[in-house]
Amino acid sequence: MFGIGKKTQKIKGTVVLMPKNVLDFNAISSVSVPNSVGGAVGAVGGILGGVANIASGVIDAATAFLGRNVSMQLISATQTHGGKGKVGEEAYLNSHLPTLPTLGARQDAFSIYFEWESDFGIPGAFYIKNFKTDEFFLVSVTLEDIPNHGSIRFVCNSWVYNFKSYKKDRIFFVNNTYVPSATPAPLLKYRQEELETLRGDGTGKRKEQDRIYDYDVYNDIGNPDGGEPRPILGGSSNYPYPRRVRSGRDKTKKDPNSEKPGEIYVPRDENFGHLKSSDFLIYGLKSLSQNVFPMLKSAIFDLRVTSSEFDSFDEVRSLYEGGLKLPTDILSQISPLPALKEIFRTDGENALQFPPPHVIRVSKSAWMTDEEF
């Protein structure tokens, strides 16, 4: 795409991403929840062991992106070629930047250098190809010192799978909001192609790597083959809604209009991220405290707290406002590991304290109002 005799220089970019093994919550959440205190400690140890294994592989995972494993091509927002924005030469991640001060937790940064000619114009999008087997989470891409323009930042926040998973190459656009009539002409066709990809064609079974947002009626809430038929919700002239994200599962044998029950498709970018998944892990571990109660009864709890029911709203609020104070000698028996610092604080204060719901933070009685309902 670049010609002879034209002024060529390098544009430096910084690519921030997170490897799958850092964000993969399945390895942690797959640990079974036991029914005993010893088992609970074992589960916590297993979970933390999984976290340690993940952490130990971070460096290897980061360096695995170098070489020719991830490529990018800039797309011009001001110059065209064949009716579309001009596409630059392919470039690859160049080096790992482990000390970048702006990196967030679990993020890795890589440098990349693009060939840029004077007639290329200003980049407005880029293609990216993942040649690795595992997907990764692309956080952002920043281009520096673009001639006559300065820096451009792309905020991506999207999973990128192996390039063979896509019918068309993954594309990301600069973070400028345009109405269609104001969209730069060289980017119009790219925008239209991306919209068609996201809409899908209403056929096929949805896969994990799909990015399609098409919709269907609720025809999967029953199980006709199992003797539990349910009427289809939505789709009629009088009641066209509700709608659900289409999954494309196989039809049942007894009712060709109903889908077999199964995993619900959610576009990967809409699934809980690692931070939200971590919340579930932490609060799930806090919930394991009910298995520790027999050990703690004689030490700190009275019958009013350890009964299976709450006698008043004040008892419920106590879980959010003060938690339950635990003696340090019993805490040391549960686990001295640092990862449990928030769950069972070493000073015994505010243990098992849950974050208060937002509505309670505003007013303890706000939940009773008609407005809130």
Side-chain angles (χ1 to χ4, degrees):
M1 299 296 293
F2 290 92
I4 298 175
K6 297 178 181 178
K7 184 179 179 181
T8 302
Q9 64 185 82
K10 297 278 189 179
I11 290 180
K12 180 183 177 181
T14 301
V15 180
V16 178
L17 55 80
M18 290 188 275
K20 177 190 176 185
N21 67 336
V22 172
L23 299 179
D24 193 352
F25 189 64
N26 294 331
I28 303 176
S29 62
S30 62
V31 177
S32 60
V33 178
N35 294 318
S36 66
V37 174
V41 175
V44 172
I47 291 171
L48 295 174
V51 173
N53 289 335
I54 290 174
S56 66
V58 168
I59 300 300
D60 291 339
T63 56
F65 285 90
L66 300 177
R68 302 178 71 86
N69 288 326
V70 179
S71 75
M72 297 176 60
Q73 291 176 279
L74 297 180
I75 300 174
S76 177
T78 57
Q79 299 296 323
T80 60
H81 179 82
K84 300 169 66 175
K86 193 173 184 179
V87 180
E89 295 290 341
E90 204 165 25
Y92 297 87
L93 301 187
N94 183 268
S95 61
H96 184 219
L97 306 173
T99 59
L100 196 67
T102 57
L103 284 182
R106 306 179 184 181
Q107 296 180 357
D108 282 295
F110 300 86
S111 63
I112 189 170
Y113 293 89
F114 299 95
E115 296 285 347
W116 184 89
E117 289 187 344
S118 56
D119 66 346
F120 183 79
I122 307 301
F126 66 85
Y127 281 132
I128 185 168
K129 287 184 179 179
N130 175 16
F131 297 100
K132 291 167 53 66
T133 302
D134 289 337
E135 67 272 22
F136 60 84
F137 189 78
L138 182 62
V139 178
S140 65
V141 175
T142 303
L143 305 178
E144 303 173 13
D145 300 326
I146 299 172
N148 303 317
H149 186 81
S151 299
I152 294 179
R153 178 174 170 81
F154 299 81
V155 178
C156 306
N157 292 327
S158 180
W159 288 94
V160 180
Y161 283 76
N162 181 274
F163 74 103
K164 293 181 180 179
S165 301
Y166 304 113
K167 294 181 179 179
K168 294 184 179 180
D169 292 339
R170 284 301 309 272
I171 187 172
F172 291 90
F173 298 92
V174 69
N175 296 104
N176 292 336
T177 303
Y178 302 106
V179 296
S181 60
T183 301
L187 297 180
L188 276 174
K189 289 188 177 180
Y190 293 110
R191 289 278 193 182
Q192 183 61 37
E193 290 174 356
E194 177 71 352
L195 183 58
E196 291 173 355
T197 296
L198 295 176
R199 285 175 174 169
D201 58 7
T203 63
K205 184 177 182 179
R206 296 283 76 86
K207 300 177 182 178
E208 178 185 289
Q209 66 269 20
D210 285 345
R211 305 170 51 242
I212 297 174
Y213 295 77
D214 58 352
Y215 299 90
D216 201 351
V217 296
Y218 277 88
N219 61 352
D220 61 344
I221 55 179
N223 183 13
D225 292 342
E228 299 177 358
R230 290 285 300 276
I232 295 174
L233 297 182
S236 68
S237 57
N238 292 330
Y239 302 103
Y241 299 101
R243 284 284 195 270
R244 65 179 176 90
V245 177
R246 181 181 171 278
S247 58
R249 295 189 297 265
D250 294 335
K251 302 294 185 180
T252 61
K253 294 180 180 179
K254 292 185 177 181
D255 183 2
N257 294 319
S258 296
E259 280 188 3
K260 292 181 179 179
E263 184 176 350
I264 298 174
Y265 163 74
V266 178
R268 183 69 184 275
D269 289 349
E270 306 303 331
N271 273 314
F272 282 156
H274 66 291
L275 294 179
K276 189 65 175 178
S277 297
S278 298
D279 287 344
F280 274 108
L281 170 62
I282 295 302
Y283 299 139
L285 288 176
K286 286 188 176 183
S287 298
L288 286 177
S289 60
Q290 61 183 310
N291 297 306
V292 185
F293 279 179
M295 180 196 296
L296 304 174
K297 268 185 181 181
S298 60
I300 57 171
F301 295 121
D302 58 34
L303 293 177
R304 183 170 54 85
V305 176
T306 56
S307 63
S308 59
E309 297 181 355
F310 291 101
D311 295 329
S312 68
F313 283 110
D314 289 334
E315 291 185 7
V316 178
R317 294 192 189 105
S318 67
L319 296 176
Y320 299 97
E321 295 174 349
L324 300 173
K325 186 175 180 179
L326 305 183
T328 55
D329 59 328
I330 291 183
L331 290 176
S332 62
Q333 296 177 38
I334 296 173
S335 179
L337 295 175
L340 297 182
K341 184 177 181 180
E342 170 59 22
I343 305 170
F344 301 113
R345 293 182 52 158
T346 54
D347 59 4
E349 297 292 337
N350 298 323
L352 311 182
Q353 181 177 353
F354 290 82
H358 287 285
V359 63
I360 298 298
R361 296 179 192 177
V362 176
S363 171
K364 292 182 179 180
S365 58
W367 63 272
M368 294 187 292
T369 63
D370 292 338
E371 291 82 2
E372 184 61 32
F373 276 104

